[in-house]
Amino acid sequence: MGEAMAGVALALLSPNHPLQTPKIPNRSSLSMASPRPSPPSSPSDPTQPSLLVFSGGTAFNGVVEELKKLTTRVAHVLPVSDDGGSTAEIVRVLGGPAVGDIRSRCLRLSDESTSEALAVRTLLGHRLPIDVVEAKSEWYSIVEGGHSLWQGVSRPYRETIRAFLVFFQNQILRHSEESFCFSNGSIGNFFFAGARIFFESLDAAIFLFSRVSGIPVESCSPGNLHQ
């Protein structure tokens, strides 16, 4: 699919919002942003306890922050049944499994050891305004690359993340019979959905998200994050 998808032409967001588009991603573009070095506490240390966690999404997120202080050797098994917020809107318009709970857990597991890691986490954790008009306007600003959320994100990571956001927008435009509502939308959900649709694989989307956000590999094996 990669070569065919690489040739997809991106439509403009709207006549009043010309989009300066990065290249449509192909599988080789994952090498654009090399994975960040793991934070000092994250290398797989055989003396660390190894845990298997079965949980829902939001309810366990507070515990995740504490577990990170104890060990990074935690396998997370999550459902893909989240049907609220922007997840429900993505499923309604574009279909596919619900990614909200997985995205939320990935954010909790993400690296916070550098200023860039924090900038990426802030970007992918950002939610658009509740007001429909304001939400759509801010979304355009983010996709076009001019929003202040991009500050602190280096060019390789910026272009990788932005390419999949652009691809997500392109998919919405291709489903023009459905009016997509960006109100309170999660940028991380949009990035996740764009990657999943492009690769036609939830596992591949989890892998890409983990690469971009610097999640320790022992915490984010794709099979560990969904069932």
Side-chain angles (χ1 to χ4, degrees):
M1 179 187 66
E3 292 299 323
M5 298 300 285
V8 174
L10 291 181
L12 298 180
L13 290 173
S14 77
N16 296 323
H17 290 83
L19 178 61
Q20 302 298 317
T21 59
K23 294 179 180 179
I24 278 285
N26 54 40
R27 288 183 176 84
S28 64
S29 69
L30 291 181
S31 62
M32 289 174 58
S34 300
R36 294 189 187 87
S38 297
S41 61
S42 67
S44 185
D45 182 349
T47 65
Q48 289 185 345
S50 182
L51 304 176
L52 173 63
V53 174
F54 294 84
S55 71
T58 306
F60 195 76
N61 280 341
V63 181
V64 172
E65 298 289 351
E66 296 303 315
L67 280 181
K68 286 168 63 177
K69 301 174 185 177
L70 174 67
T71 178
T72 59
R73 302 178 67 191
V74 183
H76 297 265
V77 181
L78 297 173
V80 287
S81 56
D82 176 26
D83 60 356
S86 59
T87 298
E89 187 68 1
I90 292 169
V91 173
R92 181 184 71 84
V93 176
L94 301 178
V99 299
D101 286 343
I102 297 176
R103 182 269 312 161
S104 178
R105 184 61 51 85
C106 284
L107 277 178
R108 295 287 181 157
L109 294 169
S110 62
D111 182 21
E112 300 177 87
S113 63
T114 67
S115 59
E116 180 173 42
L118 288 172
V120 170
R121 178 168 172 154
T122 299
L123 170 67
L124 296 178
H126 182 71
R127 283 194 175 274
L128 300 174
I130 297 292
D131 181 82
V132 174
V133 175
E134 292 180 3
K136 197 168 188 178
S137 176
E138 184 173 49
W139 167 245
Y140 288 154
S141 178
I142 291 170
V143 176
E144 290 169 353
H147 197 282
S148 60
L149 282 169
W150 292 111
Q151 293 179 7
V153 181
S154 64
R155 182 173 179 178
Y157 284 95
R158 175 194 293 251
E159 292 305 307
T160 298
I161 295 169
R162 187 171 165 238
F164 285 96
L165 294 180
V166 169
F167 182 77
F168 175 77
Q169 173 66 23
N170 177 255
Q171 294 302 299
I172 292 173
L173 294 176
R174 293 180 64 185
H175 291 76
S176 57
E177 69 280 2
E178 299 285 350
S179 178
F180 191 90
C181 179
F182 290 97
S183 175
N184 200 36
S186 163
I187 300 304
N189 280 356
F190 298 161
F191 172 74
F192 218 127
R196 183 196 62 78
I197 295 169
F198 175 74
F199 291 115
E200 297 183 348
S201 167
L202 181 58
D203 285 355
I206 293 172
F207 174 74
L208 176 62
F209 200 104
S210 69
R211 287 278 302 263
V212 167
S213 57
I215 300 174
V217 292
E218 62 269 25
S219 294
C220 200
S221 171
N224 290 339
L225 279 166
H226 66 92
Q227 60 183 27

